[in-house]
Amino acid sequence: MAYRDLGQVKTFIAEGDLSAEAKQYTFVKVGTAGNQVVTAGAGEAAVGVQWGRSVDDEAVAVVVDANAEPHVIASEAIALGDEISSSATGTAAVAASADVILGTATSAAATGGYVTVKLLADAKSVKA
């Protein structure tokens, strides 16, 4: 049996429909209302990784713990040790110049696969 330490998981409210399978295991950011989350965009900061699916105005679990290693859908081929940012659809991407670095890949993944990402703390860095 596989075991994954997700560390701290917080509950937020979905701002919009986050119930599609393609939304689960993607980066989310704070929406326009304080305790609500939406899918993070390309290179944006994120509060964590969506760990469930939810419709508008319902609770959704989000992995927020620095040092947690949730898996995230890969938007492209990712190698072990790559710095990770969010793609336009909230999936994991290799960080490019000016992207907010959300974590480091602790596994490799092909496009559409799952990459394990060691999340960074709230003080994320921007790729030079």
Side-chain angles (χ1 to χ4, degrees):
M1 179 166 104
Y3 172 78
R4 179 158 317 283
D5 179 8
L6 296 177
Q8 185 177 12
V9 176
K10 287 187 178 180
T11 302
F12 291 87
I13 302 300
E15 184 179 304
D17 189 358
L18 299 176
S19 65
E21 186 174 349
K23 297 282 186 180
Q24 188 172 7
Y25 311 122
T26 59
F27 292 108
V28 291
K29 65 179 183 177
V30 175
T32 57
N35 194 38
Q36 295 185 328
V37 292
V38 296
T39 302
E44 293 182 327
V47 294
V49 176
Q50 180 177 328
W51 205 253
R53 294 192 253 174
S54 182
V55 295
D56 190 27
D57 290 328
E58 287 190 0
V60 61
V62 177
V63 179
V64 297
D65 195 2
N67 299 315
E69 294 187 18
H71 52 267
V72 183
I73 299 170
S75 66
E76 60 185 312
I78 296 175
L80 176 68
D82 280 348
E83 293 175 320
I84 301 299
S85 65
S86 176
S87 74
T89 58
T91 55
V94 176
S97 180
D99 285 353
V100 175
I101 299 169
L102 302 174
T104 304
T106 57
S107 70
T111 303
Y114 293 97
V115 61
T116 305
V117 178
K118 181 176 183 187
L119 299 177
L120 294 178
D122 289 336
K124 297 172 176 63
S125 60
V126 175
K127 182 83 173 176

